[in-house]
Amino acid sequence: MTTVSRPLETRHEETYEEPQYSTRDTLLTMLGVLMVMLLASLDQTIVSTAMPRIIADLQGFDRYTWVSTSYLLASTVMVPIYGKLSDIFGRKSIFLVGVVIFLTGSALSGAAQTMDQLVLFRAFQGIGAGALMPIAIAIVADLFAPRERAKWQGVTGAVWGLSSIVGPTAGGWITEHTTWRWVFYVNLPIGLLAMLVLIFLMPTLKQTSKKPKIDYLGAALLVATAVPLLLGFSWAGSEYAWGSPIILGLFALAINVGCVFVLYESIVQREGGQPIIEPSLFRNSIFTISTIATVIFSMALFGSTFFIPLFVQGVVGITATNSGLVLTPLMLTSVVGSVISGQLVARTGRYKWAAISGMLIGIAGSWLLMRLDINASDSDVLLAMIMLGLGMGTSMSLYTLIVQNALPQKIGQATCSLVFFRSIGGTIALAAMGSVMNASYLPAFHGALPEASKKALPVGTLHFFDNPQILLSQEMQSHVHSGLSALGPQGQDLYTQLMQAVKLGLTQGIHHVFLLCTLLLCLGLVVVLFLKEIPLRGKGSQEKPEPVRIPIEA
């Protein structure tokens, strides 16, 4: 074995040059891309707001979660497949295919007559959605050199933040004044306009492979790995116990098929093929560290943002029509953080300082969340959200820029692989942190309620407090209060003690979630310290990624 110095990418990548497009082509393409990004990011928040009305109309409460789960499963597993296809056949054609499938799925979902149809059509819509956001980000990379790309970081971040704020409000307004079907139909005019812009005005971004060959078996193995893994984490702790045969069977299936997938992809690459996810990507330390860091950060972020609305509404007692409004300060500050960090990275051409700063600010925000207790005020939560939002804005889109700069000839695959692993991390985080919260809540609730009060309660009353949902339901509170009122003054005291115990239990459960998020971010900080830095290429720059030493046969 002899160690030689050569770039990890192919010889074609050694002569890689940034493509040049006219200002008109660039700006018009960005208009279409931003419209598609808005479409993709709005869809989830709008639909979630309309779900109660949809369930009432289609009579399918037992399949409530599947409307979102089928969409997320389909979109997540398709992300790396679209990324590889876009590298092979070019970005424009794959992007338009995704938009067409997404819009077709939107029209079908709006026309659904049963809950089963809606679940099926949402899955079809998700197949198209897997191409929208990742390929849009890859197109931005095709249009701009890395240093210029950093300046657009704030714009793309603003689209995501805007959708998180506007989506729930728009979904509520549409459902209230028209019909829930329009939460799907509203995608059609926006999507069709974006398609026209992309078809007629977007340049044909060159494909990187002259001999296209689709890895069908690799794609099938990837789907067979990701679906049971995502289902296992989605169902664990809610539909089934973590140790149930179904959950363990899903995890075992995912692990075994995953091993076959990795082995097969290694063989395909060794024989000169084009695997869906090239194992050699992970030999690039920048890609590996960035993937680990973005997974860790997304796990902490998903956990925090999911439980902040529950804390605000359940413990602080602030009324909010939906979680989107509660999280508005966090989303706005994330946009600010994204704009500022993007401009500074573009000016300096360096990114490691931003990765470290984003983790440090995120740790500060998570620590402030961890300090919240039952006496926390809305200003305490606001300060924590502002800090966490700044860290989120600084970091979330940064790692995409980093891997695109390190792997300029594999932008589609690198970008979509990063998004894929980020989605997996978010799914794992929600399942794990939900279990942490539930495991912490009940002991804390029972510990906060005096034994004498438990004995004085009517039989079956404690059943209403198996979870803290009563804090969010006026109907449940009224029912319990009416039942205890029959006991006279003692009943009122018991009701007050019960509600206080629920708040204490919820606070303790969410505290443990925020503690876990803080520990994850501390781990992320350690990881990014090992991140290698290569200068971001500017427009017309001839700088290349530094060679990586790998052993090859003499």
Side-chain angles (χ1 to χ4, degrees):
M1 299 289 287
T2 304
T3 300
V4 299
S5 178
R6 71 174 188 185
L8 189 59
E9 293 74 29
T10 64
R11 178 169 297 185
H12 178 66
E13 291 167 349
E14 294 174 8
T15 59
Y16 176 78
E17 295 180 2
E18 295 291 345
Q20 302 294 322
Y21 301 104
S22 69
T23 302
R24 176 183 177 275
D25 286 345
T26 299
L27 293 180
L28 289 175
T29 300
M30 280 303 300
L31 174 63
V33 167
L34 291 174
M35 290 171 66
V36 173
M37 292 179 73
L38 181 63
L39 191 68
S41 54
L42 273 175
D43 183 74
Q44 278 294 289
T45 51
I46 288 181
V47 173
S48 61
T49 307
M51 278 309 299
R53 186 69 62 86
I54 294 174
I55 293 170
D57 189 14
L58 299 182
Q59 300 296 312
F61 183 79
D62 58 326
R63 280 144 292 169
Y64 168 77
T65 57
W66 271 103
V67 175
S68 295
T69 301
S70 61
Y71 179 92
L72 292 174
L73 277 174
S75 60
T76 300
V77 300
M78 288 302 298
V79 163
I81 296 174
Y82 280 128
K84 183 63 180 183
L85 291 177
S86 74
D87 278 343
I88 295 175
F89 297 106
R91 227 71 76 195
K92 182 174 181 177
S93 57
I94 301 302
F95 195 43
L96 288 172
V97 166
V99 174
V100 169
I101 295 175
F102 178 82
L103 294 180
T104 304
S106 297
L108 291 172
S109 297
Q113 299 301 310
T114 67
M115 202 67 170
D116 290 334
Q117 287 182 5
L118 181 60
V119 170
L120 179 63
F121 295 150
R122 283 287 282 168
F124 185 77
Q125 186 186 20
I127 292 175
L132 303 190
M133 191 67 77
I135 301 298
I137 296 172
I139 289 174
V140 176
D142 288 330
L143 295 174
F144 303 100
R147 288 184 72 160
E148 292 180 278
R149 204 178 303 153
K151 298 176 183 178
W152 285 89
Q153 182 176 311
V155 178
T156 55
V159 170
W160 183 75
L162 178 66
S163 66
S164 301
I165 297 169
V166 173
T169 305
W173 188 91
I174 290 171
T175 306
E176 186 69 26
H177 292 86
T178 57
T179 170
W180 63 263
R181 298 183 185 279
W182 272 99
V183 302
F184 298 107
Y185 293 150
V186 74
N187 292 333
L188 301 181
I190 302 174
L192 290 173
L193 180 59
M195 279 187 59
L196 292 175
V197 172
L198 295 173
I199 290 172
F200 295 107
L201 301 175
M202 178 180 177
T204 302
L205 305 177
K206 291 194 301 181
Q207 64 190 54
T208 61
S209 175
K210 295 182 179 180
K211 296 180 179 180
K213 185 178 180 181
I214 301 175
D215 180 16
Y216 293 106
L217 181 56
L221 288 172
L222 175 64
V223 172
T225 301
V227 169
L229 181 67
L230 290 170
L231 281 177
F233 280 109
S234 297
W235 286 346
S238 55
E239 303 290 333
Y240 305 96
W242 279 90
S244 67
I246 291 179
I247 298 301
L248 294 179
L250 287 170
F251 287 153
L253 178 62
I255 291 171
N256 283 292
V257 178
C259 291
V260 175
F261 170 71
V262 173
L263 179 61
Y264 175 76
E265 295 291 82
S266 299
I267 294 173
V268 170
Q269 183 167 19
R270 189 163 58 245
E271 294 180 349
Q274 297 172 341
I276 293 295
I277 298 179
E278 297 180 14
S280 64
L281 287 175
F282 292 94
R283 279 187 258 158
N284 184 306
S285 64
I286 295 177
F287 178 83
T288 302
I289 294 297
S290 296
T291 299
I292 296 173
T294 197
V295 167
I296 290 173
F297 197 90
S298 66
M299 290 177 71
L301 179 63
F302 272 67
S304 298
T305 54
F306 187 80
F307 287 97
I308 286 174
L310 180 59
F311 183 87
V312 168
Q313 296 175 59
V315 179
V316 180
I318 297 176
T319 302
T321 55
N322 51 64
S323 60
L325 295 179
V326 172
L327 294 173
T328 296
L330 185 145
M331 297 303 173
L332 289 176
T333 51
S334 72
V335 173
V336 173
S338 182
V339 171
I340 294 175
S341 65
Q343 293 296 320
L344 291 176
V345 168
R347 286 175 179 270
T348 62
R350 301 283 178 175
Y351 52 76
K352 187 171 182 177
W353 68 267
I356 295 174
S357 299
M359 285 292 182
L360 286 172
I361 298 171
I363 290 171
S366 188
W367 178 74
L368 289 173
L369 287 173
M370 193 177 66
R371 293 182 67 248
L372 298 175
D373 57 25
I374 196 171
N375 298 313
S377 65
D378 53 352
S379 59
D380 295 328
V381 181
L382 177 64
L383 178 61
M385 283 197 289
I386 289 174
M387 189 64 68
L388 185 66
L390 288 173
M392 179 176 74
T394 302
S395 295
M396 282 307 287
S397 55
L398 178 67
Y399 296 104
T400 303
L401 176 67
I402 292 172
V403 299
Q404 289 173 345
N405 184 62
L407 298 165
Q409 202 64 18
K410 297 175 182 176
I411 283 176
Q413 184 179 187
T415 301
C416 292
S417 296
L418 202 67
V419 173
F420 173 72
F421 289 115
R422 181 186 300 163
S423 298
I424 297 289
T427 303
I428 293 173
L430 290 182
M433 292 178 187
S435 296
V436 167
M437 200 278 290
N438 291 330
S440 303
Y441 165 74
L442 272 179
F445 165 71
H446 286 290
L449 192 64
E451 287 297 324
S453 298
K454 294 179 185 178
K455 295 177 180 178
L457 288 170
V459 177
T461 303
L462 281 177
H463 170 70
F464 288 96
F465 302 91
D466 288 344
N467 64 66
Q469 185 178 349
I470 191 171
L471 292 174
L472 309 178
S473 172
Q474 290 295 327
E475 183 179 350
M476 290 180 65
Q477 291 178 31
S478 298
H479 180 74
V480 173
H481 187 268
S482 299
L484 293 177
S485 296
L487 301 177
Q490 182 189 16
Q492 181 61 43
D493 291 339
L494 286 173
Y495 177 77
T496 302
Q497 291 177 13
L498 280 167
M499 297 305 294
Q500 185 71 2
V502 173
K503 285 189 176 184
L504 285 168
L506 178 60
T507 302
Q508 185 68 15
I510 295 180
H511 169 79
H512 286 160
V513 170
F514 291 153
L515 172 61
L516 179 57
C517 292
T518 305
L519 294 176
L520 281 171
L521 289 172
C522 289
L523 175 62
L525 177 62
V526 174
V527 170
V528 297
L529 293 177
F530 294 93
L531 181 64
K532 183 181 177 182
E533 183 166 51
I534 52 178
L536 297 179
R537 298 182 306 279
K539 188 173 183 180
S541 171
Q542 299 301 314
E543 296 176 37
K544 307 290 189 302
E546 295 179 13
V548 178
R549 292 184 178 274
I550 56 174
I552 62 171
E553 294 184 6

